Each structure stands twice: as C-alpha cells, then as structure tokens.
Amino acid sequence: DIQMTQSPSSVSASVGDRVTITCRASQGIRSWLAWYQQKPGTAPKLLIYAASTLQTGVPSRFSGSGSETDFTLTISSLQPEDSATYYCQQANNFPYTFGQGTKLEIK
Amino acid sequence: VQLVESGGDLVKPGGSLRLSCAASRFIFSDYYMTWIRQAPGKGLEWISYISDTGGYTNYADSVKGRFTISRDNAKNSLYLHMNGLRGEDTAVYYCARGQYSYAYWGQGTLVTVSS
C-alpha cells in the first residue's frame, strides 16, 4: 500500500499567516492527490483535487501543488474558519489511502 | 446532491450489519460510489468503491473478504454488507460520490462493535 505522510501533525498559526502543510507519498502517484478539510462532527470537505485544482466554491486562499511524491497545501492568509484537520488522499493505486491528518489551530 | 446513510448500530464481535446510503438530487447511475470510515478520534480510511454499473469493485485489505459493496441503481441506493465484524471496525461510515476524489459525502452512520 502507498503510505501518505503529512507534516506537521499539528500547527498553530495566527489570522493572516501563510500556512503550508506537506504530504509525502511512499511512491510516485503522479497528480492523483486530493486535500480535504474536516471540522469536528462533520464530514470532510473537498478542497483540492488532481493535486492543484481548486474545488468549486473553495476560497482562493487555498492552493495545492506538487507531483509524484511531494505535495503541499497552502493557505495564503489564514482565517478563523480555517481551524480544522486537513487530510491528503492518493488515488493512484488501490487501496486509496489518506494521510494521518494535520490539525490546524488558530492562535 | 444528497447522500443519507443509515443502518449503523451496536453489534457484537462476529456479527453482521448492512449499511445503506440513499442518494438523491443527481443521476445516481452515472457515478462511482465509495465507502470511507473514521474510527473515533482517528483519521480517514478508504474501504471500498463500486463502479457506476456495479460491475467493478475494490476493497481495502482490512475489509476484503468480510465486507461487500453493492448498489441498486433503480433505488438510487448504495450498500455495504459487513460480516465478521471486529472491534477495529468501530467507526463512523461515510458514503461518498466519486471515483478518485469525493466532493459529496453523507453525514455518516456509526457502527459500534462491542460485546
């Protein structure tokens, strides 16, 4: 199975900060990567697919980049509502796998 | 798009359960569908998907041979038949629309496996 490793596991940042979360795949996955945001008690929300395509309705402060094994999710100017856990997910090989999550807190 | 899961319950180890996902407000038969679960306080785990016609399925190793995904396009419904349940199957189970990434999710249904 492809292992997806996110870093950091948790991060605390201030409103207006630029925040970057990384996701590393144990083998190349081309651009078959998605990013999700999950708030407590709710289903995940798709932010980015195909590594860098912004899902309709997602604010433009979110962006994704990378290919093969190294990917990043960037929030350009952190907002209070961005407090959540973020997951990456690969869809290149079965079984599809998620990263362990990155918990983002607002200072 | 609306996805509503049901069927979650408390079940004893070794028991069986069938989860359902009722889909509405889109053409169900046009889309692959997926089950994803989340153990309490843990991350997300992809467990199974089924093609639009139901002719192709795939499973995570953790559930292969115990769980079966199916669909009834006439009823706009997705199912997950779970046998041989174990404590580690305790989770919220989500159905989601899509093959590679998931823009639409249900609210989840809780399965608890405990004696």
Side-chain angles (χ1 to χ4, degrees), chain A residues 58-73:
Chain A
V58 173
S60 59
R61 64 180 180 274
F62 291 92
S63 64
S65 65
S67 65
E68 296 298 347
T69 60
D70 293 294
F71 301 86
T72 60
L73 173 70

Side-chain angles (χ1 to χ4, degrees), chain A residues 25-41:
Chain A
S26 60
Q27 63 187 77
I29 60 169
R30 297 177 286 172
S31 294
W32 291 104
L33 187 98
W35 289 97
Y36 300 87
Q37 175 194 67
Q38 187 179 32
K39 297 183 179 180

Side-chain angles (χ1 to χ4, degrees), chain A residues 12 58 62 66 71 74 77 89 91 93 102:
Chain A
S12 181
V58 173
F62 291 92
F71 301 86
T74 300
S77 178
Q89 173 237 327
N93 284 20
T102 295

Side-chain angles (χ1 to χ4, degrees), chain A residues 1 32 34 36 38 42-46 49 55 87 89 91 94-100, chain B residues 36 38 42-46 49 56 58-61 94 99-103 105-107:
Chain A
D1 297 4
W32 291 104
Y36 300 87
Q38 187 179 32
T42 68
K45 173 186 176 182
L46 178 65
Y49 62 94
Q55 171 67 9
Y87 295 94
Q89 173 237 327
F94 287 113
Y96 296 166
T97 44
F98 289 87
Q100 82 280 13
Chain B
I36 293 162
Q38 187 169 35
K42 303 296 185 183
L44 300 166
E45 182 186 12
W46 180 94
Y49 95 174
Y56 181 74
N58 210 304
Y59 298 91
D61 289 346
Y94 295 102
Q99 183 175 3
Y100 303 111
S101 62
Y102 314 110
W105 299 61
Q107 85 288 350

Side-chain angles (χ1 to χ4, degrees), chain B:
Chain B
V1 173
Q2 188 168 29
L3 299 168
V4 179
E5 302 94 337
S6 61
D9 205 348
L10 170 64
V11 61
K12 289 182 168 52
S16 298
L17 208 56
R18 188 186 82 161
L19 304 184
S20 300
C21 172
S24 59
R25 303 178 190 168
F26 67 100
I27 302 173
F28 181 68
S29 57
D30 281 354
Y31 291 88
Y32 281 55
M33 296 294 295
T34 297
W35 287 100
I36 293 162
R37 70 183 179 183
Q38 187 169 35
K42 303 296 185 183
L44 300 166
E45 182 186 12
W46 180 94
I47 56 173
S48 184
Y49 95 174
I50 188 167
S51 63
D52 49 357
T53 63
Y56 181 74
T57 60
N58 210 304
Y59 298 91
D61 289 346
S62 59
V63 305
K64 198 174 294 183
R66 301 187 299 123
F67 290 11
T68 303
I69 191 171
S70 65
R71 65 191 295 162
D72 185 335
N73 285 346
K75 294 184 177 179
N76 291 333
S77 292
L78 174 72
Y79 305 102
L80 186 67
H81 307 258
M82 304 186 293
N83 296 320
L85 282 162
R86 307 166 179 166
E88 56 264 37
D89 296 319
T90 294
V92 173
Y93 285 72
Y94 295 102
C95 64
R97 191 184 86 173
Q99 183 175 3
Y100 303 111
S101 62
Y102 314 110
Y104 297 99
W105 299 61
Q107 85 288 350
T109 188
L110 176 63
V111 173
T112 303
V113 183
S114 175
S115 54

Side-chain angles (χ1 to χ4, degrees), chain A residues 1 3 5 8 10-11 18-19 22 24 28 34-35 46-48 51 54 70 72-73 76 80 85 87 98 100 102:
Chain A
D1 297 4
Q3 307 303 314
T5 304
S10 64
V11 58
R18 181 182 183 89
V19 174
T22 66
R24 176 160 289 176
W35 289 97
L46 178 65
L47 300 175
I48 302 282
L54 192 68
D70 293 294
T72 60
L73 173 70
S76 60
T85 300
Y87 295 94
F98 289 87
Q100 82 280 13
T102 295

